[in-house]
Amino acid sequence: MAAGKTTVARAFQRLGVPVFNADAVVRKLQGRGGAAIPALQQLRPSVISNGCVDRAALRAELAKDPGLLKKLEAILHPLVRKERQLFLRQCRARGVPLCVLDVPLLWESGAAASCDLVLVVEAALPTRLARVKHRHLLGGRMTVALARQLMACQMSDEERRARADLILSTEGRPAGVQRQVRRLAWALRGGRSALRQDRDCSSRRRAPGRRTIMEELGAHDAHHTF
């Protein structure tokens, strides 16, 4: 949350890379006539208003009942997975060499199994909380307190780093993030030597029995998803 993954995803989109945005899919599922509405109505009627999810009411319920998050995910994850699989089929049918899954809960939702390469976008906790606070001051509904609560329910930063193939920091200026994305996209589209030379994107340490980034790229020439 507030790590900068949306910024990175948009950078890929500007380069013409198809991006699956899980958050946008969730908003669609929770909108009027969305596929998740019947189950959410049964789970917590108070968060449904005029046929769609009242996001402010949902945030209030999550703040009161932390256990609600898992129940919510049990409804949403299968529906998001269906949309994600459709996106990937369409990319393969079009012969797209590279596409991106912008998914907040990549491992928790099972989406990592669809990826050739996992890029973790990160920023230090103080930076992330400062971003949440700034957005809240500009009218965003997410508070720092709720952000902390939701982060506590997610996989730790340490575990995400351990599972990642690449880590991209968004601590610097936007131009630096765009440069990292441009180099990585070029490498995955065929200029593989860039991954060795690019010091902006730091590879995780190789675990016993795990393949390096270059080995992964060599084994998946036709289509890369991450």
Side-chain angles (χ1 to χ4, degrees), residues 86-160:
L86 175 61
F87 168 83
L88 292 175
R89 286 198 300 271
Q90 291 172 338
C91 286
R92 291 190 178 101
R94 290 161 47 200
V96 173
L98 172 66
C99 64
V100 172
L101 301 182
D102 177 4
V103 181
L105 303 176
L106 188 73
W107 288 282
E108 295 92 332
S109 65
S114 300
C115 299
D116 298 311
L117 190 72
V118 174
L119 172 69
V120 164
V121 177
E122 69 172 16
L125 181 59
T127 300
R128 295 164 67 189
L129 294 177
R131 289 171 180 171
V132 171
K133 183 177 181 180
H134 178 68
R135 293 170 189 171
H136 185 64
L137 291 174
L138 293 178
R141 301 298 181 89
M142 180 66 67
T143 64
V144 170
L146 182 55
R148 283 184 178 276
Q149 179 181 319
L150 294 175
M151 288 178 187
C153 297
Q154 297 175 356
M155 185 180 294
S156 70
D157 291 343
E158 291 74 18
E159 187 170 358
R160 273 193 291 268

Side-chain angles (χ1 to χ4, degrees), residues 36-83:
I37 295 300
L40 294 174
Q41 173 78 49
Q42 188 172 17
L43 174 66
R44 197 61 58 100
S46 61
V47 305
I48 306 298
S49 177
N50 296 320
C52 62
V53 170
D54 182 331
R55 297 177 69 83
L58 179 58
R59 280 189 289 269
E61 289 296 314
L62 286 169
K64 291 189 297 184
D65 180 10
L68 178 61
L69 182 61
K70 291 297 182 183
K71 297 174 183 177
L72 188 65
E73 290 174 350
I75 292 171
L76 294 174
H77 284 179
L79 296 172
V80 174
R81 180 168 59 249
K82 183 178 179 180
E83 294 290 328

Side-chain angles (χ1 to χ4, degrees), residues 207-226:
R210 297 296 294 272
R211 293 187 294 179
T212 65
I213 300 302
M214 299 312 298
E215 289 168 338
E216 186 71 39
L217 289 174
H220 294 276
D221 284 337
H223 179 90
H224 296 294
T225 303
F226 68 97

